[in-house]
Amino acid sequence: MTKKKIEQILATLEKLYGQEQCGLDFNTPFELLIATILSAQCTDVRVNIVTKDLFDKYNTAEAILNLGEDGLLTKIKTCGLARTKARNIILTCQRLLTEYNGIVPDQMDQLITLPGVGRKTANVVMSNAFNIPAIAVDTHVFRVSRRIGLASGKTVLEVEKELMNNIPKDQWSQAHHWLIWHGRKCCTARNPNCGECMLHNLCVFYQPKF
């Protein structure tokens, strides 16, 4: 894909979704870290309902450890995969307290060593909590970027690297949000709304019907 075409795609996405931000509610890096761990195979809407109650009293690593794994499990049981998530969150809180004085690190190599934290979660935290340019590749970003033609990789890591190469660094974090919201509102997994998509004339996936 040419640089000019990429610029046109990004300009269109910005026009459509330039006001959109992270779908998870948070006030601190720790809250975002926990919310992102909870968001695996769960909607942001559901996570926000759960964390609104959870973070009212338990919004630090120490507080969650005092709550305990069973207590945490009760709080997050509607998120899906709750037992695994509860275990990972407890282990992560222990690591944060023993290795980082309870403070969430802002570097990829440190974040991905925390239980339940992969590159996607690390990039979400770096980008949204610390304003460090990053592209988190979730299911929406993976699907939409490959459909449009911004990437062609077969793995999440390949797509992340392609997007970092094709998108200017100062737009990485914003483009992540634009692609997510385009995936939610238009380029859905099933029956994408190509006929009304503002990108159809630029998209490699679109096949007009005659």
Side-chain angles (χ1 to χ4, degrees):
M1 181 171 284
T2 65
K3 182 178 180 181
K4 182 178 180 180
K5 199 170 184 179
I6 292 172
E7 289 174 349
Q8 290 176 305
I9 289 171
L10 293 174
T12 301
L13 287 171
E14 182 175 19
K15 183 178 180 180
L16 291 170
Y17 310 109
Q19 77 285 359
E20 302 291 359
Q21 300 295 324
C22 180
L24 296 170
D25 296 334
F26 70 97
N27 292 303
T28 66
F30 178 78
E31 288 187 358
L32 179 58
L33 174 63
I34 300 307
T36 309
I37 292 174
L38 291 174
S39 71
Q41 299 185 37
C42 186
T43 66
D44 289 355
V45 173
R46 169 54 54 187
V47 172
N48 288 337
I49 291 171
V50 169
T51 56
K52 182 179 181 180
D53 174 63
L54 177 67
F55 294 156
D56 183 49
K57 293 182 179 179
Y58 308 101
N59 65 343
T60 66
E62 185 175 9
I64 285 184
L65 286 179
N66 288 335
L67 176 63
E69 186 173 332
D70 289 340
L72 178 60
L73 180 59
T74 300
K75 293 282 189 182
I76 68 171
K77 61 184 178 181
T78 60
C79 275
L81 304 175
R83 189 167 296 280
T84 297
K85 291 175 181 178
R87 187 179 306 114
N88 283 334
I89 289 171
I90 291 295
L91 292 173
T92 285
C93 289
Q94 291 172 345
R95 289 277 304 282
L96 289 176
L97 283 173
T98 58
E99 298 181 27
Y100 300 104
N101 296 315
I103 298 172
V104 176
D106 62 1
Q107 299 300 310
M108 171 67 72
D109 60 344
Q110 296 173 322
L111 284 165
I112 60 175
T113 67
L114 298 173
V117 178
R119 289 189 64 87
K120 187 208 82 170
T121 296
N123 277 325
V124 168
V125 172
M126 289 166 56
S127 173
N128 294 284
F130 298 110
N131 295 316
I132 297 172
I135 299 178
V137 180
D138 68 356
T139 55
H140 294 298
V141 174
F142 185 80
R143 177 182 71 254
V144 174
S145 62
R146 293 173 77 248
R147 278 183 180 169
I148 294 172
L150 289 174
S152 60
K154 291 180 170 56
T155 68
V156 169
L157 183 57
E158 287 175 352
V159 168
E160 181 186 334
K161 289 181 177 179
E162 285 182 273
L163 292 176
M164 290 170 69
N165 184 61
N166 289 332
I167 297 172
K169 188 173 183 178
D170 62 356
Q171 289 185 297
W172 286 357
S173 296
Q174 297 97 316
H176 158 75
H177 295 305
W178 302 340
L179 290 167
I180 286 176
W181 285 101
H182 192 61
R184 288 174 175 169
K185 295 185 176 182
C186 184
C187 194
T188 51
R190 297 181 181 180
N191 303 315
N193 193 8
C194 298
E196 297 184 12
C197 179
M198 298 296 290
L199 293 172
H200 71 257
N201 61 320
L202 301 168
C203 177
V204 299
F205 176 80
Y206 177 62
Q207 296 294 326
K209 296 179 181 179
F210 298 103

